[in-house]
Amino acid sequence: MTGTIMSRIDDRYNVKDTEARWQQAWEQGGAFVAGRHPARPKYYVLEMFPYPSGRIHMGHVRNYTLGDVVARYKRAKGFDVLHPMGWDAFGLPAENAAIERGVHPAKWTRENIAAMREQLKSMGLSYDWGREVATCEPDYYRHEQKMFLDFLKAGLVYRKESWVNWDPVENTVLANEQVIDGRGWRSGALVEKRLLAQWFLKITDFAEDLLAALGSLERWPDRVRLMQENWIGRSEGARLVWDLAGRPETLEIFTTRPDTLFGAAFLAISPNHPLAAELAEANPALAEFIAECNRMGTSEAALETAEKKGVDTGLKALHPFVPGWELPVYVANFVLMEYGSGAIFGCPAHDQRDLDFARKYGLPVKPVVLPPGENPATFQVGAEAYSEGGTLFNSGFMDGMGVDDAKAAAIARIEADGRGARTVNWRLRDWGVSRQRYWGCPIPIIHCESCGVVPVPAADLPVRLPEDVGFDKPGNPLDHHPTWKHVACPACGKPARRETDTFDTFFESSWYFARFCSPTRDDVAFDRAEADRWLPVDQYIGGIEHAVLHLLYSRFFTRALKTCGYLGVDEPFAGLLTQGMVCHETYKDQAGAWLYPDEVTRGEGGRPVHASTGAPVTLGRSEKMSKSKRNVVDPAHIIATYGADTARLFMLSDSPPERDLEWTEAGIDGAWRYVNRLWRMVAGTADTLPAPGSAMPELGDEALKLRRLVHKTVAAITDDLEKFHFNKAVARLREMTNALGEVSADAPDRAWVLREGLEAAALLAAPMMPHLAEEMWAALGHAVPVVHTPWPVAEAALLVEDSVTVAVQVNGKLRATIELPKDADPKLAEETALAQPPVIAAMSGKPPRKVVVVPNRIVNVVV
RNA sequence: GCGGACGUGGCGAAACCGGUAGACGCAGCGGACUUAAAAUCCGUUUUCCUCGGAAGUGGGGGUUCGAGUCCCCCCGUCCGCACCA
């Protein structure tokens, strides 16, 4: 009897055996190998590849479950599916591990990859593992070194000085996240800003196109498109050159509000402006202020949240329209050197930041735009600047104009005077790709005293990252390596020096989706024909935290690669799904220390107490799972206990994918119960059902009703999966399961429909709970596995109802519901509605003033 | 600071184009089975009340025969801000 259905009925669903068995069967059968069906339409589904931290976390489980549902569904729908996985393997944590624990980054990373690969495999994800890539291996990064050289040739790369966070104790550049309250996270030393020569990619060359093409990304969330639009930040305005009293040089500013020039109160330049540096040489107070600004860190958030401060340089600027009008020139901490020309003019009446600054330093506030309905004689600006539209006044030749006309008039005057021009300015800055780090892709450049900057010849690629390095000294290990950086100049042969900076790790993730198209090619980054077939990615899935940078860099890279002839598409990702975070309650003990969920249990009256000591525990609100707050649940533990299908089901069931998901013990238990319930239904009834493929008998009412529900469920789940409404799909499946559980197979028609329903349940559940689905399908007597079975199709005739329930309202309040034939005559609907006793009562004898009839929906009686 | 989102029962949520608010699940309560427990199954569950209703989708206002859905204002929470990935 071993292995038969009967022997399994008494057992509970054996997760471990079942899941391992099917994972092996899929792998041996090559079920997920992409490209086997060139005649079928292609579908490329990709999840953001993980940083190999060593263990998967619940965020991964959610992300990869979502992707796998799409991949399995599309395969069943007849697509040739590409669903690959790899490792975003360069990055800071590996270096931190090296510094803190003495493990080499390469060893640490490779071991992490091996461990995480096993964990992912235990989830039963339908990846084509033959395409796995790891970005830290030379066979991957050699190609991006080539890309960089091609970009250089195409004029998309340049070198300039740029500011970085410098830790003077560790002798390293710090990431913004490593700067805490202005100090280095490890050393505690005050961080300084420093200028460093770095490589930049000209993403701004594509600004116009990156912005315009957002409109074509119809399957991207609006909010992501909006965030990118704001990030690119196109603004129209004017460049304007101001003369300085008693000095030969001029000052160029950018403004979007040339209409408010008559309301100007001051000019302000960035602390990093060349003029500021020059003036500081003779002005100790200014020098001290600039030094203070340079201690602030480089992040925009740090600059913007700091108190607005400035120092008067003593210089006077001459107003371009009014002879003799002199304005003070400040150095101000809120003016960014990277934006516009690093200098602005301030109009306090119509810009809040300028107003705050003016109030602080006692500068005049002169309104020049009159809000509609205000009296020019009495209008004043108080605590709030007025930045809306209106009519110009106090403004010479612009008086009486609207804001838009005044802008045009001001620009016309500026251009006529030869003082500047209309300009489009971008918030987007070029992408600085140099990192002073070891664990990244070496930048293939050689510096020669005679020849200058020399690209490494393509034949010499890859420039390999040396593995024999130490982390005991502060600074970049590549710089300390005894031999690595010393090379002969490729141009003149004299001794020269390698670039010791490595690429930003966003470099690797900007083209990995293309590498997956032909991951084993050594000679090229990817095969053009393969890329042309598979790209763009049809559905990309990952966290909202990548809404701007990673996605924008990838869009830019795709354009740059097209410019260099690598591929033919403009956009890398046709569809985008941004998933929410996985959250969990937080716990603290009496001393205020964070506790892990498994250290907490429920004591008397359901109060949380410490599991071993029984001491009271403070319950905190639910937050994103993070190691620092210890509110984490280990997926490996969950999968070992409940199995992959249960974990996957829970990831899909309660919340829609875009929203945050609350992880609860009760939720995972509920999913586990459902997995067992489905299995029991099949195991307990399979031998009472007709053989697979039996002809349909005459159906009685109960059987027909059930059959309608089954086909409706097929249609509904299909629609839900198309729209990524996975939580609704689970709800529909449970609804159908509830109905199937209520019938008994004691008559041929019911038995036949029960089989149809259980088969539908197996096939519909397959993208979500693939192991269970296979097991159910096999128990129902099918030899061909679900992974090779097409998606079920609903019979259209069974989806149409012949009667509908219509709500009856009196003055918008529900009073009754009535059953009507579908598409009934509105007159019949009205008559039936008015005859309902509760309706008559609610009308209390008054005649209907109006009756609104919405067919098949509602009748609203207005009295 | 700037930018983006979100807010519906005790909880996660559903509600198509403005048309019966709360599908489906979790927790709770009651019951069946059991010596007992677990597991399972059945019923019940927005709130208030005079059992006929009344109120109700973060708060306030508006449009409409009708608003969770559209518009305006406010409050709260979360995410991003260019060297984390």
Side-chain angles (χ1 to χ4, degrees), chain A residues 415-432:
Chain A
E415 289 179 342
D417 291 351
R419 294 197 158 272
R422 174 185 301 279
T423 331
V424 172
N425 192 55
W426 304 88
R427 204 187 81 98
L428 181 67
R429 310 201 295 258
D430 278 332
W431 175 15

Side-chain angles (χ1 to χ4, degrees), chain A residues 431-651:
Chain A
W431 175 15
V433 295
S434 299
R435 296 291 181 270
Q436 295 68 41
R437 315 223 178 267
Y438 166 71
W439 194 235
C441 170
I443 298 178
I445 291 289
I446 290 164
H447 299 275
C448 170
E449 290 213 359
S450 345
C451 311
V453 168
V454 183
V456 173
D460 294 350
L461 296 182
V463 177
R464 283 170 188 273
L465 198 58
E467 298 208 357
D468 52 336
V469 290
F471 289 87
D472 38 349
K473 271 192 278 184
N476 184 351
L478 282 183
D479 213 26
H480 305 323
H481 193 279
T483 56
W484 185 76
K485 69 179 172 185
H486 304 293
V487 284
C489 170
C492 68
K494 283 192 236 162
R497 184 179 56 79
R498 271 192 202 288
E499 173 93 36
T500 56
D501 285 356
T502 53
F503 284 132
D504 177 7
T505 57
F506 274 125
F507 217 97
E508 284 82 55
S509 57
S510 292
W511 67 282
Y512 78 112
F513 47 87
R515 179 64 179 172
F516 279 135
C517 298
S518 31
T520 54
R521 285 284 293 263
D522 274 347
D523 51 336
V524 289
F526 44 86
D527 181 281
R528 175 72 197 255
E530 289 288 318
D532 285 349
R533 174 170 189 224
W534 291 110
L535 294 175
V537 173
D538 294 277
Q539 191 59 49
Y540 195 37
I541 306 174
I544 185 71
E545 67 273 19
H546 293 291
V548 176
L549 291 183
H550 161 58
L551 290 169
L552 193 61
Y553 290 149
S554 297
R555 296 182 63 218
F556 157 66
F557 235 78
T558 303
R559 285 163 171 76
L561 288 173
K562 189 183 180 190
T563 303
C564 296
Y566 278 76
L567 41 68
V569 294
D570 289 308
E571 289 292 342
F573 313 120
L576 176 68
L577 176 65
T578 50
Q579 109 233 5
M581 301 176 298
V582 180
C583 300
H584 195 284
E585 279 179 334
T586 50
Y587 312 100
K588 276 184 179 178
D589 65 16
Q590 295 305 91
W594 299 105
L595 296 171
Y596 290 104
D598 56 13
E599 293 177 295
V600 177
T601 186
R602 296 284 159 168
E604 257 176 72
R607 286 171 197 281
V609 295
H610 196 284
S612 48
T613 65
V617 165
T618 315
L619 191 63
R621 47 178 207 115
S622 180
E623 293 185 61
K624 177 186 179 172
M625 282 191 184
S626 76
K627 276 180 201 153
S628 61
K629 291 187 177 140
R630 298 197 166 183
N631 59 337
V632 287
V633 174
D634 184 3
H637 177 69
I638 295 296
I639 291 168
T641 312
Y642 298 96
D645 286 337
T646 299
R648 293 169 59 123
L649 175 64
F650 180 49
M651 285 294 151

Side-chain angles (χ1 to χ4, degrees), chain A residues 329-412:
Chain A
V329 178
Y330 281 78
V331 174
N333 63 355
F334 61 86
V335 182
L336 302 172
M337 193 58 218
E338 290 83 4
Y339 188 76
S341 58
I344 60 153
F345 87 84
C347 174
H350 304 292
D351 181 283
Q352 191 60 43
R353 198 163 50 180
D354 295 346
L355 181 64
D356 296 343
F357 193 79
R359 295 281 190 236
K360 190 176 174 96
Y361 295 105
L363 298 166
V365 180
K366 175 178 151 196
V368 291
V369 178
L370 188 68
E374 288 281 351
N375 181 346
T378 57
F379 177 65
Q380 284 194 329
V381 169
E384 276 187 36
Y386 179 74
S387 53
E388 312 289 307
T391 311
L392 273 283
F393 71 128
N394 296 335
S395 289
F397 66 92
M398 289 186 277
D399 277 350
M401 294 181 187
V403 165
D404 289 343
D405 290 343
K407 282 182 183 172
I411 291 170

Side-chain angles (χ1 to χ4, degrees), chain A residues 25 66 198 260 344 378 435 576 607 675 755 803 808 811:
Chain A
L66 295 171
Q198 314 208 53
T260 63
I344 60 153
T378 57
R435 296 291 181 270
L576 176 68
R607 286 171 197 281
V675 165
R755 160 170 286 282
S803 80
V808 183
N811 287 339

